[in-house]
Amino acid sequence: MVTAKTKINIIIGDPVEHSISPQLHNLAYQHHKLDKDFIYLACRVKKTQLKQAIAGAKALGINGITCTIPHKVNVIKYLDKIDKTAKQIGAVNTILNKNGKLIGYNTDWYGIEAPLKKRITLKDKTAAVLGAGGAARAVCYALAKNKIKITVFNRTLEKAKQLASDFKAEYKSINEKHLLKSYDIVINATPVGMYPNIKDSLLTPKDIAKDQIIFDIVYTPYETQLLKNAKKAEAKIIYGFEMLLYQAILQFKIYTNQTPDEDFLRTQLYKLLKIK
Ligand code: NAP
């Protein structure tokens, strides 16, 4: 039951109506008997209204603000402080109101690190990152943090070069796919294969090595064509769902200062995404 003391967390984006975050976080508040303490709502905020929205949220004493498309980068200039990780990634997806000051965090990197650490020891591994956009930056941060040797493969070489220089990585054109088999880990951080283009894949089974880790951060559909191809090649696969789950776990911790029940969140996320 909501009271006058209930802290408000929101997600802002445009569009935002499709977001499952309000359901997921509110279910977790109930599960942890925190629903008197916290509530999570969605607010559609246009790009042109971002400054006013952040000032308004601050004036209202909103506890947490999740940022999704198109606000993750633009929001930075309206915050009081950015933590080191978010600064390096160059994007904020989680804002905490600490005694009236808005602090920006990024939790996407944890969505890469946690599932990888569950599967392998990261020390001395090599990784190929496909793509050089916003998500690829969080991917590179997680890999660099674990001292993994990174090569960025991208369609636009200039963007690959920029990302690679920020994370002391190498870079190559996405056309050099024949090189990918030699990496321990390949992470797709492009939207290729995402609904509705579910038959698309950057790699065929022939481009994938047995026992290599193939992590596709696309999560709609749950099992992308790339992951199907990886299974055919007998590679080890990691679903984009895992990234979504673990970034939400870290975000829950930032907003509530409590560790959520991972199995509960996993089950709820499966249901919300209608995964069978
Ligand atoms: P973005 O900033 O727009 O970057 C997209 C990247 O993909 C660019 O480097 C682009 O290359 C490349 N790309 C796009 N279409 C391509 C194609 N047909 N062939 C080869 N390369 C292509 O996007 P983003 O924000 O990084 O998001 C990328 C994907 O990650 C999206 O599908 C998003 O849903 C997913 N994602 C998942 C999670 C999760 O929790 N699982 C979290 C964040 C994002 P150019 O530089 O040449 O344009």
Side-chain angles (χ1 to χ4, degrees), residues 69 72 108 131-136 154-156 159 174 189-192 194 202 217-219 240-241 243-244 247:
I69 291 170
K72 284 187 182 187
D108 282 336
N154 198 46
R155 189 175 56 181
T156 310
K159 276 171 74 181
I174 196 85
T190 77
V192 176
M194 189 166 81
L202 284 174
I217 73 163
V218 171
Y219 62 90
F241 172 89
M243 180 179 181
L244 196 64
Q247 72 74 28

Side-chain angles (χ1 to χ4, degrees), residues 43 58-59 69 75 96 121 133 157 195 234 238:
C43 302
K58 195 174 177 179
I69 291 170
V75 79
L96 182 69
T121 314
L157 207 54
Y195 182 84
E234 296 180 62
I238 301 180

Side-chain angles (χ1 to χ4, degrees), residues 10-211:
I10 59 173
I11 177 166
I12 60 168
D14 187 19
V16 80
E17 292 73 16
H18 65 284
S19 172
I20 53 166
S21 293
Q23 283 152 289
L24 183 68
H25 284 261
N26 286 319
L27 284 164
Y29 297 157
Q30 277 170 20
H31 180 72
H32 289 280
K33 303 202 170 21
L34 288 170
D35 47 328
K36 233 170 52 187
D37 305 305
F38 297 98
I39 189 167
Y40 193 115
L41 304 164
C43 302
R44 185 170 194 159
V45 172
K46 286 191 194 134
K47 223 174 170 174
T48 52
Q49 294 285 312
L50 182 62
K51 186 178 178 184
Q52 291 92 323
I54 295 299
K58 195 174 177 179
L60 291 167
I62 299 291
N63 177 65
I65 309 164
T66 302
C67 298
T68 186
I69 291 170
H71 304 314
K72 284 187 182 187
V73 175
N74 294 336
V75 79
I76 291 176
K77 55 181 176 287
Y78 305 125
L79 304 181
D80 297 303
K81 205 180 142 193
I82 313 291
D83 98 320
K84 246 171 76 183
T85 299
K87 201 175 272 176
Q88 244 180 299
I89 294 172
V92 160
N93 71 339
T94 303
I95 302 165
L96 182 69
N97 187 337
K98 260 191 201 163
N99 306 318
K101 296 264 185 260
L102 298 184
I103 324 284
Y105 299 90
N106 188 302
T107 66
D108 282 336
W109 68 273
Y110 186 65
I112 299 296
E113 184 191 79
L116 280 175
K117 276 192 167 171
K118 286 206 160 183
R119 297 296 292 269
I120 49 161
T121 314
L122 299 184
K123 197 171 173 283
D124 299 327
K125 294 291 189 290
T126 59
V129 177
L130 314 183
R137 287 194 70 85
V139 171
C140 285
Y141 175 85
L143 298 173
K145 179 175 174 281
N146 287 284
K147 306 207 163 33
I148 292 174
K149 207 167 165 285
I150 308 165
T151 307
V152 177
F153 288 78
N154 198 46
R155 189 175 56 181
T156 310
L157 207 54
E158 201 46 45
K159 276 171 74 181
K161 186 178 175 185
Q162 179 62 53
L163 178 59
S165 84
D166 290 349
F167 291 95
K168 296 190 176 65
E170 291 182 10
Y171 68 94
K172 296 198 184 296
S173 160
I174 196 85
N175 296 329
E176 299 200 63
K177 279 177 209 166
H178 59 279
L179 301 173
L180 291 172
K181 273 185 163 178
S182 68
Y183 292 84
D184 299 307
I185 304 162
V186 176
I187 304 182
N188 175 43
T190 77
V192 176
M194 189 166 81
Y195 182 84
N197 304 311
I198 62 170
K199 293 274 179 237
D200 294 354
S201 168
L202 284 174
L203 310 182
T204 67
K206 280 187 186 157
D207 302 317
I208 299 167
K210 187 172 182 276
D211 292 331

